Amino acid sequence: MMPPTCCRCSRGVESGDPCELIRFARSSADHQWYVERESGRSETDHPPDMDWFCSEHEATAFAHQHLTRKEAIESIKNRERWFLIDLDLFDRGTPPAVRESGVGFESAFSTYFDHAVSTINDDGDPLWTQYRISLGGDVADMAVNGEGVFEIQRTGKLMLEIKKRLASKVDGVGFSDLISKRFALETRKHGVGSALHLVDEISDHLRIALSDERFLALFRMV
Ligand SMILES: [Zn+2]
């Protein structure tokens, strides 16, 4: 068995981060490997349909389990790159800059929400830094309203609602997972435009007072 180090980043044995072994669909070569192992003829002991993922990348891996391991890794690597862009609004002469980058849409959205809620105070007033995230391209899309760029309007009710919920000690982590997975799923299925449309839809619902349960239901998997 390979040592438990994430196949998408360097977290694992050396950094002390726990990783999980995740199984993918079996290719015919994978089936053959299991047949050979049963008969004792296999030379390797790491199952070819499985790989290690850290906590930041496991949700993305789970979303690709219907593919073979090779297809899943290729797809995550080639289609799910992301760049977190920050804009300094205090000094308008400073060009937008890439603050962080990575792979996997779930980690993209959890990183984005983490940063985005820090750009408003507890009353929802905007501060001097703003974030947006460029999804899916090989390089960061710095264009205003670029095609693969996701951003929630900071002064709207939705961002304040997200900020409050993420700050909850009781279920902040659960809410972070919920919205990250929901927006990742939407982007993977129909593109960034569809994720932005979802933002509009949720914002519309927020105009009427919603019960906790109905608000959370807006983010549940479809
Ligand atoms: Zn990782």
Side-chain angles (χ1 to χ4, degrees), residues 59-98:
T60 301
F62 281 130
H64 286 81
Q65 275 185 306
H66 59 289
L67 302 174
T68 65
R69 184 186 60 92
K70 190 165 175 272
E71 288 165 347
I73 288 176
E74 287 288 302
S75 179
I76 296 168
K77 192 173 78 181
N78 296 331
R79 297 195 194 148
E80 303 210 352
R81 285 192 69 76
W82 56 260
F83 302 87
L84 181 76
I85 299 163
D86 81 26
L87 298 101
D88 180 351
L89 304 177
F90 189 72
D91 179 3
R92 301 260 174 187
T94 309
V98 172

Short mmCIF file of all heavy atoms in Angstrom, two decimals, residues 59-98:
data_model
loop_
_atom_site.label_atom_id
_atom_site.label_comp_id
_atom_site.label_asym_id
_atom_site.label_seq_id
_atom_site.Cartn_x
_atom_site.Cartn_y
_atom_site.Cartn_z
N ALA A 59 -13.60 15.75 -0.65
CA ALA A 59 -14.97 15.97 -1.17
C ALA A 59 -14.96 15.99 -2.69
O ALA A 59 -15.88 15.48 -3.34
CB ALA A 59 -15.54 17.28 -0.63
N THR A 60 -13.90 16.56 -3.28
CA THR A 60 -13.78 16.58 -4.74
C THR A 60 -13.60 15.15 -5.26
O THR A 60 -14.19 14.76 -6.27
CB THR A 60 -12.58 17.46 -5.15
OG1 THR A 60 -12.79 18.78 -4.66
CG2 THR A 60 -12.43 17.51 -6.67
N ALA A 61 -12.79 14.35 -4.55
CA ALA A 61 -12.58 12.96 -4.95
C ALA A 61 -13.90 12.19 -4.90
O ALA A 61 -14.24 11.46 -5.85
CB ALA A 61 -11.55 12.29 -4.05
N PHE A 62 -14.67 12.39 -3.82
CA PHE A 62 -15.96 11.69 -3.71
C PHE A 62 -16.88 12.05 -4.88
O PHE A 62 -17.61 11.20 -5.38
CB PHE A 62 -16.66 12.04 -2.39
CG PHE A 62 -16.11 11.30 -1.19
CD1 PHE A 62 -15.75 11.98 -0.03
CD2 PHE A 62 -15.94 9.92 -1.23
CE1 PHE A 62 -15.24 11.30 1.07
CE2 PHE A 62 -15.43 9.23 -0.14
CZ PHE A 62 -15.08 9.92 1.03
N ALA A 63 -16.82 13.30 -5.32
CA ALA A 63 -17.69 13.74 -6.42
C ALA A 63 -17.26 13.12 -7.76
O ALA A 63 -17.98 13.22 -8.75
CB ALA A 63 -17.67 15.26 -6.52
N HIS A 64 -16.08 12.49 -7.79
CA HIS A 64 -15.59 11.88 -9.04
C HIS A 64 -15.53 10.35 -8.97
O HIS A 64 -14.91 9.70 -9.81
CB HIS A 64 -14.18 12.41 -9.36
CG HIS A 64 -14.17 13.83 -9.84
ND1 HIS A 64 -14.24 14.91 -9.00
CD2 HIS A 64 -14.12 14.34 -11.10
CE1 HIS A 64 -14.22 16.03 -9.70
NE2 HIS A 64 -14.15 15.72 -10.98
N GLN A 65 -16.17 9.77 -7.96
CA GLN A 65 -16.05 8.31 -7.75
C GLN A 65 -16.65 7.46 -8.85
O GLN A 65 -16.34 6.27 -8.94
CB GLN A 65 -16.71 7.91 -6.42
CG GLN A 65 -15.78 8.07 -5.24
CD GLN A 65 -16.41 7.55 -3.97
OE1 GLN A 65 -17.50 7.96 -3.62
NE2 GLN A 65 -15.74 6.63 -3.31
N HIS A 66 -17.51 8.07 -9.69
CA HIS A 66 -18.11 7.30 -10.78
C HIS A 66 -17.10 7.09 -11.92
O HIS A 66 -17.33 6.30 -12.83
CB HIS A 66 -19.36 8.01 -11.31
CG HIS A 66 -19.06 9.39 -11.81
ND1 HIS A 66 -18.74 10.43 -10.96
CD2 HIS A 66 -19.00 9.89 -13.06
CE1 HIS A 66 -18.51 11.52 -11.68
NE2 HIS A 66 -18.66 11.22 -12.96
N LEU A 67 -15.98 7.81 -11.89
CA LEU A 67 -14.94 7.66 -12.92
C LEU A 67 -13.87 6.69 -12.42
O LEU A 67 -13.81 6.38 -11.24
CB LEU A 67 -14.28 9.02 -13.19
CG LEU A 67 -15.20 10.15 -13.65
CD1 LEU A 67 -14.41 11.46 -13.73
CD2 LEU A 67 -15.79 9.81 -15.02
N THR A 68 -13.01 6.23 -13.34
CA THR A 68 -11.87 5.42 -12.87
C THR A 68 -10.88 6.37 -12.19
O THR A 68 -10.97 7.60 -12.37
CB THR A 68 -11.14 4.72 -14.05
OG1 THR A 68 -10.55 5.73 -14.88
CG2 THR A 68 -12.10 3.87 -14.87
N ARG A 69 -9.95 5.84 -11.43
CA ARG A 69 -9.01 6.68 -10.69
C ARG A 69 -8.26 7.61 -11.64
O ARG A 69 -8.10 8.81 -11.40
CB ARG A 69 -8.01 5.80 -9.92
CG ARG A 69 -7.05 6.59 -9.03
CD ARG A 69 -6.02 5.66 -8.42
NE ARG A 69 -5.23 5.00 -9.45
CZ ARG A 69 -4.08 5.47 -9.93
NH1 ARG A 69 -3.57 6.57 -9.46
NH2 ARG A 69 -3.44 4.81 -10.88
N LYS A 70 -7.79 7.05 -12.77
CA LYS A 70 -7.02 7.83 -13.73
C LYS A 70 -7.86 8.97 -14.32
O LYS A 70 -7.42 10.12 -14.38
CB LYS A 70 -6.52 6.91 -14.85
CG LYS A 70 -5.51 7.53 -15.77
CD LYS A 70 -4.82 6.43 -16.59
CE LYS A 70 -3.89 7.04 -17.61
NZ LYS A 70 -4.52 7.35 -18.90
N GLU A 71 -9.09 8.64 -14.72
CA GLU A 71 -9.99 9.66 -15.29
C GLU A 71 -10.29 10.75 -14.26
O GLU A 71 -10.33 11.93 -14.58
CB GLU A 71 -11.32 9.03 -15.72
CG GLU A 71 -11.24 8.16 -16.94
CD GLU A 71 -12.49 7.28 -17.11
OE1 GLU A 71 -13.29 7.16 -16.16
OE2 GLU A 71 -12.64 6.70 -18.19
N ALA A 72 -10.53 10.32 -13.02
CA ALA A 72 -10.88 11.27 -11.95
C ALA A 72 -9.73 12.25 -11.72
O ALA A 72 -9.94 13.47 -11.66
CB ALA A 72 -11.21 10.51 -10.67
N ILE A 73 -8.53 11.71 -11.62
CA ILE A 73 -7.38 12.58 -11.33
C ILE A 73 -7.12 13.54 -12.49
O ILE A 73 -6.85 14.72 -12.29
CB ILE A 73 -6.16 11.72 -10.95
CG1 ILE A 73 -6.41 11.15 -9.54
CG2 ILE A 73 -4.86 12.52 -10.99
CD1 ILE A 73 -5.37 10.21 -9.02
N GLU A 74 -7.24 13.03 -13.72
CA GLU A 74 -7.07 13.89 -14.90
C GLU A 74 -8.10 15.02 -14.90
O GLU A 74 -7.78 16.18 -15.15
CB GLU A 74 -7.27 13.07 -16.19
CG GLU A 74 -6.14 12.12 -16.50
CD GLU A 74 -4.90 12.86 -16.96
OE1 GLU A 74 -5.01 13.58 -17.96
OE2 GLU A 74 -3.85 12.71 -16.31
N SER A 75 -9.35 14.65 -14.60
CA SER A 75 -10.42 15.63 -14.64
C SER A 75 -10.23 16.70 -13.56
O SER A 75 -10.40 17.90 -13.83
CB SER A 75 -11.76 14.90 -14.45
OG SER A 75 -12.80 15.82 -14.47
N ILE A 76 -9.85 16.28 -12.37
CA ILE A 76 -9.64 17.26 -11.28
C ILE A 76 -8.47 18.18 -11.65
O ILE A 76 -8.54 19.40 -11.50
CB ILE A 76 -9.36 16.52 -9.95
CG1 ILE A 76 -10.58 15.70 -9.52
CG2 ILE A 76 -8.96 17.52 -8.86
CD1 ILE A 76 -10.31 14.72 -8.38
N LYS A 77 -7.41 17.57 -12.16
CA LYS A 77 -6.20 18.34 -12.48
C LYS A 77 -6.44 19.32 -13.64
O LYS A 77 -5.99 20.47 -13.59
CB LYS A 77 -5.09 17.34 -12.87
CG LYS A 77 -3.72 17.95 -12.95
CD LYS A 77 -2.69 16.86 -13.16
CE LYS A 77 -2.68 16.40 -14.61
NZ LYS A 77 -1.72 15.33 -14.89
N ASN A 78 -7.16 18.87 -14.66
CA ASN A 78 -7.30 19.69 -15.87
C ASN A 78 -8.50 20.64 -15.86
O ASN A 78 -8.47 21.68 -16.50
CB ASN A 78 -7.41 18.80 -17.11
CG ASN A 78 -6.15 18.00 -17.33
OD1 ASN A 78 -5.06 18.43 -16.96
ND2 ASN A 78 -6.28 16.79 -17.87
N ARG A 79 -9.56 20.27 -15.14
CA ARG A 79 -10.78 21.09 -15.24
C ARG A 79 -11.08 21.86 -13.97
O ARG A 79 -11.98 22.70 -13.96
CB ARG A 79 -12.00 20.19 -15.50
CG ARG A 79 -11.88 19.49 -16.82
CD ARG A 79 -13.21 18.91 -17.22
NE ARG A 79 -12.98 17.97 -18.31
CZ ARG A 79 -13.69 16.90 -18.52
NH1 ARG A 79 -14.70 16.62 -17.73
NH2 ARG A 79 -13.43 16.10 -19.52
N GLU A 80 -10.39 21.53 -12.87
CA GLU A 80 -10.81 22.14 -11.61
C GLU A 80 -9.72 22.95 -10.93
O GLU A 80 -9.63 23.00 -9.71
CB GLU A 80 -11.37 21.05 -10.69
CG GLU A 80 -12.53 20.32 -11.35
CD GLU A 80 -13.58 19.78 -10.39
OE1 GLU A 80 -13.36 19.84 -9.17
OE2 GLU A 80 -14.61 19.30 -10.88
N ARG A 81 -8.89 23.60 -11.73
CA ARG A 81 -7.93 24.53 -11.14
C ARG A 81 -8.67 25.78 -10.70
O ARG A 81 -9.67 26.16 -11.29
CB ARG A 81 -6.88 24.94 -12.18
CG ARG A 81 -5.85 23.88 -12.48
CD ARG A 81 -4.71 24.45 -13.29
NE ARG A 81 -3.91 25.39 -12.50
CZ ARG A 81 -3.03 25.02 -11.58
NH1 ARG A 81 -2.82 23.77 -11.33
NH2 ARG A 81 -2.35 25.94 -10.92
N TRP A 82 -8.18 26.41 -9.65
CA TRP A 82 -8.81 27.67 -9.22
C TRP A 82 -7.77 28.65 -8.71
O TRP A 82 -6.67 28.26 -8.29
CB TRP A 82 -9.89 27.43 -8.17
CG TRP A 82 -9.48 26.69 -6.93
CD1 TRP A 82 -9.69 25.36 -6.67
CD2 TRP A 82 -8.83 27.22 -5.75
NE1 TRP A 82 -9.20 25.05 -5.42
CE2 TRP A 82 -8.67 26.17 -4.83
CE3 TRP A 82 -8.37 28.49 -5.39
CZ2 TRP A 82 -8.07 26.33 -3.58
CZ3 TRP A 82 -7.76 28.65 -4.14
CH2 TRP A 82 -7.62 27.58 -3.26
N PHE A 83 -8.14 29.92 -8.79
CA PHE A 83 -7.27 31.01 -8.34
C PHE A 83 -8.10 32.00 -7.54
O PHE A 83 -9.10 32.52 -8.07
CB PHE A 83 -6.65 31.73 -9.55
CG PHE A 83 -5.87 30.82 -10.45
CD1 PHE A 83 -6.51 30.13 -11.47
CD2 PHE A 83 -4.50 30.64 -10.27
CE1 PHE A 83 -5.80 29.27 -12.31
CE2 PHE A 83 -3.79 29.79 -11.10
CZ PHE A 83 -4.44 29.11 -12.12
N LEU A 84 -7.71 32.25 -6.31
CA LEU A 84 -8.39 33.26 -5.50
C LEU A 84 -7.72 34.60 -5.79
O LEU A 84 -6.50 34.74 -5.66
CB LEU A 84 -8.28 32.91 -4.02
CG LEU A 84 -8.98 33.88 -3.08
CD1 LEU A 84 -10.50 33.66 -3.12
CD2 LEU A 84 -8.47 33.72 -1.65
N ILE A 85 -8.54 35.57 -6.21
CA ILE A 85 -7.99 36.87 -6.59
C ILE A 85 -8.38 37.90 -5.54
O ILE A 85 -9.54 37.95 -5.13
CB ILE A 85 -8.58 37.29 -7.96
CG1 ILE A 85 -8.20 36.27 -9.01
CG2 ILE A 85 -8.11 38.70 -8.35
CD1 ILE A 85 -9.03 36.36 -10.26
N ASP A 86 -7.41 38.70 -5.10
CA ASP A 86 -7.81 39.77 -4.19
C ASP A 86 -7.62 41.14 -4.82
O ASP A 86 -6.76 41.36 -5.67
CB ASP A 86 -7.21 39.63 -2.79
CG ASP A 86 -5.79 40.11 -2.66
OD1 ASP A 86 -5.37 40.98 -3.43
OD2 ASP A 86 -5.10 39.62 -1.75
N LEU A 87 -8.53 42.04 -4.44
CA LEU A 87 -8.50 43.40 -4.98
C LEU A 87 -8.38 44.37 -3.81
O LEU A 87 -9.16 44.30 -2.87
CB LEU A 87 -9.80 43.70 -5.73
CG LEU A 87 -10.06 42.83 -6.94
CD1 LEU A 87 -11.06 41.74 -6.60
CD2 LEU A 87 -10.60 43.66 -8.06
N ASP A 88 -7.39 45.22 -3.90
CA ASP A 88 -7.17 46.23 -2.88
C ASP A 88 -7.96 47.48 -3.30
O ASP A 88 -7.60 48.15 -4.25
CB ASP A 88 -5.67 46.53 -2.79
CG ASP A 88 -5.37 47.58 -1.75
OD1 ASP A 88 -6.32 48.20 -1.23
OD2 ASP A 88 -4.17 47.78 -1.47
N LEU A 89 -9.06 47.75 -2.60
CA LEU A 89 -9.92 48.87 -3.00
C LEU A 89 -9.44 50.19 -2.41
O LEU A 89 -9.88 51.26 -2.83
CB LEU A 89 -11.36 48.61 -2.55
CG LEU A 89 -11.98 47.30 -3.04
CD1 LEU A 89 -13.38 47.14 -2.47
CD2 LEU A 89 -12.03 47.26 -4.56
N PHE A 90 -8.53 50.10 -1.46
CA PHE A 90 -8.01 51.31 -0.83
C PHE A 90 -7.08 52.03 -1.79
O PHE A 90 -7.16 53.23 -1.97
CB PHE A 90 -7.28 50.94 0.47
CG PHE A 90 -6.90 52.14 1.28
CD1 PHE A 90 -7.89 52.85 1.96
CD2 PHE A 90 -5.59 52.56 1.36
CE1 PHE A 90 -7.56 53.96 2.71
CE2 PHE A 90 -5.25 53.68 2.11
CZ PHE A 90 -6.24 54.38 2.78
N ASP A 91 -6.21 51.23 -2.41
CA ASP A 91 -5.29 51.79 -3.39
C ASP A 91 -5.69 51.27 -4.76
O ASP A 91 -5.33 50.17 -5.16
CB ASP A 91 -3.85 51.37 -3.06
CG ASP A 91 -2.87 51.92 -4.09
OD1 ASP A 91 -3.32 52.65 -5.00
OD2 ASP A 91 -1.67 51.60 -3.99
N ARG A 92 -6.45 52.05 -5.48
CA ARG A 92 -7.00 51.60 -6.77
C ARG A 92 -5.92 51.36 -7.82
O ARG A 92 -6.18 50.75 -8.85
CB ARG A 92 -8.01 52.62 -7.30
CG ARG A 92 -9.17 52.86 -6.37
CD ARG A 92 -10.38 52.08 -6.84
NE ARG A 92 -11.46 52.18 -5.86
CZ ARG A 92 -12.59 51.51 -5.92
NH1 ARG A 92 -12.79 50.67 -6.90
NH2 ARG A 92 -13.52 51.63 -5.01
N GLY A 93 -4.71 51.82 -7.54
CA GLY A 93 -3.62 51.62 -8.49
C GLY A 93 -3.02 50.22 -8.40
O GLY A 93 -2.29 49.79 -9.29
N THR A 94 -3.35 49.50 -7.32
CA THR A 94 -2.81 48.15 -7.17
C THR A 94 -3.60 47.18 -8.05
O THR A 94 -4.82 47.10 -7.92
CB THR A 94 -2.94 47.66 -5.70
OG1 THR A 94 -2.40 48.67 -4.86
CG2 THR A 94 -2.22 46.35 -5.47
N PRO A 95 -2.92 46.47 -8.95
CA PRO A 95 -3.67 45.54 -9.81
C PRO A 95 -4.17 44.33 -9.00
O PRO A 95 -3.60 44.03 -7.96
CB PRO A 95 -2.63 45.10 -10.85
CG PRO A 95 -1.31 45.37 -10.24
CD PRO A 95 -1.48 46.46 -9.23
N PRO A 96 -5.25 43.67 -9.47
CA PRO A 96 -5.71 42.47 -8.78
C PRO A 96 -4.58 41.43 -8.72
O PRO A 96 -3.77 41.37 -9.65
CB PRO A 96 -6.86 41.96 -9.65
CG PRO A 96 -7.09 42.95 -10.70
CD PRO A 96 -6.01 43.97 -10.66
N ALA A 97 -4.52 40.66 -7.65
CA ALA A 97 -3.44 39.67 -7.53
C ALA A 97 -3.99 38.32 -7.10
O ALA A 97 -5.01 38.24 -6.41
CB ALA A 97 -2.43 40.17 -6.50
N VAL A 98 -3.30 37.26 -7.54
CA VAL A 98 -3.69 35.92 -7.12
C VAL A 98 -3.17 35.69 -5.71
O VAL A 98 -1.98 35.79 -5.46
CB VAL A 98 -3.12 34.85 -8.09
CG1 VAL A 98 -3.36 33.45 -7.53
CG2 VAL A 98 -3.76 34.97 -9.46
#
